[in-house]
Amino acid sequence: QKEVEQDPGPLSVPEGAIVSLNCTYSNSAFQYFMWYRQYSRKGPELLMYTYSSGNKEDGRFTAQVDKSSKYISLFIRDSQPSDSATYLCAMRKEGGATNKLIFGTGTLLAVQP
Amino acid sequence: DGGITQSPKYLFRKEGQNVTLSCEQNLNHDAMYWYRQDPGQGLRLIYYSQIVNDFQKGDIAEGYSVSREKKESFPLTVTSAQKNPTAFYLCASSFRPGRGVKTQYFGPGTRLLVL
């Protein structure tokens, strides 16, 4: 079983829809949670960074962490065609000797105009 | 502008040839990483380095080599021993643990194709 599971999609939604992207994980030691956005043939860019449980909002994006369920989500409100990309979740433990991350495989999102 | 640069954007390798991918960062990050990305497989860690002149193997190091002679630079060599090198290669960097934001930032990637 992988440490981080992410539905690969593709997920297709109409413009203006609310999008929910999710990851589940098995290691309760994970404390830092990230979402990256990756456009086709580009490097991933950091979208959201959260520590422990709770919500974090940035414009149309909200990251949510539920540590009791080992489940993280990224919500996109009023989705735009420019949001079409692959979204990768990533996480790491508290402390440790490195900043190595564990990544999900990514969800491909297509927002249709 | 601070960031991570990778070159070239596209690279073609002939059979039996070693090729080197460049990665440079001016973020004053301590650690650097190389990943390979294949469709449907996510990111797989090849090598990482926490400090100059030191590096560790990741999950798929066979057929690859690295060096870290300068803090800013972490080149990756894809050797002829790597039998399936066609992939998208991503370089990333981060601060060391206990310093700064505890995540990684990525370069734009190099696409390697076999002729």
Side-chain angles (χ1 to χ4, degrees), chain A residues 31-87:
Chain A
Q31 291 277 24
Y32 296 90
F33 303 92
M34 289 128 262
W35 287 95
Y36 288 86
R37 177 175 62 196
Q38 185 177 22
Y39 292 114
S40 181
R41 301 179 184 273
K42 303 289 186 185
E45 60 176 312
L46 182 65
L47 203 56
M48 301 289 278
Y49 172 84
T50 54
Y51 173 71
S52 195
S53 285
N55 292 0
K56 182 174 182 178
E57 189 173 317
D58 184 0
R60 296 185 295 110
F61 299 90
T62 299
Q64 194 172 80
V65 175
D66 182 349
K67 292 191 69 186
S68 62
S69 302
K70 297 191 183 69
Y71 190 87
I72 68 170
S73 300
L74 177 69
F75 298 97
I76 308 175
R77 291 185 299 281
D78 187 26
S79 56
Q80 302 296 310
S82 58
D83 295 325
S84 298
T86 296
Y87 290 80

Side-chain angles (χ1 to χ4, degrees), chain A residues 2 32 34 36 38 41-46 49 88 92 94-101 103-106, chain B residues 9 33 35 37 40-43 45 48 50 88 90 94-97 101-108 111:
Chain A
K2 291 182 180 178
Y32 296 90
M34 289 128 262
Y36 288 86
Q38 185 177 22
R41 301 179 184 273
K42 303 289 186 185
E45 60 176 312
L46 182 65
Y49 172 84
L88 298 158
R92 60 151 289 180
E94 179 80 74
T98 76
N99 276 333
K100 284 173 66 177
L101 301 179
F103 288 89
T105 53
Chain B
K9 189 172 181 179
Y33 312 78
Y35 293 91
Q37 188 175 38
Q41 293 202 44
L43 298 174
L45 183 63
Y48 65 100
Q50 301 245 80
F88 191 46
L90 288 160
S94 74
F95 288 112
R96 66 174 181 267
V101 177
K102 296 173 175 54
T103 189
Q104 297 175 18
Y105 297 87
F106 285 85
R111 187 162 299 276

Side-chain angles (χ1 to χ4, degrees), chain A residues 8-15 17-21 79 84-85 107-113:
Chain A
L11 179 63
S12 183
V13 301
E15 183 174 354
I18 296 174
V19 176
S20 172
L21 303 166
S79 56
S84 298
T107 299
L108 179 61
L109 171 66
V111 180
Q112 307 298 335

Side-chain angles (χ1 to χ4, degrees), chain B residues 10-25:
Chain B
Y10 295 96
L11 187 56
F12 299 92
R13 193 191 93 164
K14 295 179 182 178
E15 292 289 339
Q17 187 182 39
N18 292 354
V19 292
T20 297
L21 286 61
S22 170
C23 178
E24 304 273 334
Q25 55 95 4

